[in-house]
Amino acid sequence: MSRIAVYPGSFDPITMGHVDIIQRISKNFDRVIVLVAQSSQKASLFAADERKRLVQETLGGLKNVDVDIFEGLTVDYVKKAGAQVIVRGLRAVVDFEYEMTMASIHQKIAPEIETMLVFARPEYYYISSRGVKELAMNGAPLKDFVPEAVIEPLKKKLGRK
Ligand code: ADP
């Protein structure tokens, strides 16, 4: 049986923190699916297909990583994909409560699926998509925060003219 992990999130846009988690887990699973969440309730800067493209451009070199878009319950996607694990990244303590709540809900509705949390590396733990958008809006350098493929699209959306 091949071991497949799904890494779900908004990825609006993908940051160095996400890239690090994906690179690390791709070594521990046969296949990793980065699942870009499309939500009618959550406004995003980039459309789902743009977010997907930026992940693909960034991670094209990793042969066992795929990117997909999904609207609905993550566990439904996980079952359909024949995956066994949901991976989430953990930064500061503030992430903990939300992640524990989500993991508990998933445990309840799909006990066969395991949630695994991976700690952010210290040098990335302060990076968030929201923070990156704030930096872009104010013309700060972005190269230590987001992958190369994201810099221009982000400046185009938010940078000062
Ligand atoms: P969501 O909106 O679902 O939280 P995000 O795109 O913000 O989605 O994040 C997806 C996952 O990546 C989450 O588990 C989040 O905690 C994790 N993550 C975000 N930023 C980092 C980072 N800098 N280092 C490690 N994990 C991160």
Side-chain angles (χ1 to χ4, degrees):
M1 184 180 70
S2 67
R3 303 285 305 160
I4 306 172
V6 173
Y7 179 42
S10 309
F11 304 103
D12 186 38
I14 184 168
T15 69
M16 293 305 230
H18 297 131
V19 172
D20 178 52
I21 298 282
I22 296 162
Q23 283 173 338
R24 286 160 60 198
I25 61 174
S26 72
K27 296 185 188 124
N28 292 289
F29 289 90
D30 297 315
R31 190 171 163 229
V32 171
I33 305 171
V34 179
L35 192 61
V36 175
Q38 183 161 38
S39 167
S40 45
Q41 297 196 26
K42 210 168 160 186
S44 61
L45 177 67
F46 291 96
D49 60 338
E50 291 176 298
R51 287 180 271 145
K52 176 181 172 181
R53 187 175 49 78
L54 294 176
V55 177
Q56 274 170 334
E57 280 177 21
T58 302
L59 296 162
L62 290 176
K63 292 284 163 275
N64 64 336
V65 176
D66 294 314
V67 194
D68 206 353
I69 298 175
F70 187 63
E71 182 172 9
L73 291 178
T74 303
V75 289
D76 288 340
Y77 181 93
V78 173
K79 285 184 206 166
K80 204 181 64 171
Q84 305 84 10
V85 172
I86 295 174
V87 171
R88 295 282 290 175
L90 207 63
R91 285 164 292 183
V93 189
V94 289
D95 281 345
F96 182 82
E97 191 163 356
Y98 177 73
E99 296 300 341
M100 197 178 82
T101 305
M102 290 310 295
S104 306
I105 293 171
H106 289 154
Q107 175 76 253
K108 186 85 187 163
I109 61 177
E112 70 278 23
I113 295 166
E114 204 61 69
T115 298
M116 294 188 182
L117 297 175
V118 179
F119 285 98
R121 284 222 315 239
E123 57 268 49
Y124 296 133
Y125 93 109
Y126 58 88
I127 300 179
S128 65
S129 297
R130 183 208 281 235
V132 158
K133 284 181 265 196
E134 193 71 35
L135 292 172
M137 226 180 281
N138 291 288
L142 298 168
K143 82 168 184 23
D144 292 337
F145 296 87
V146 294
E148 188 65 37
V150 174
I151 295 180
E152 282 312 313
L154 193 54
K155 278 190 187 163
K156 229 174 173 169
K157 288 254 187 207
L158 290 176
R160 291 189 183 140
K161 296 284 172 294

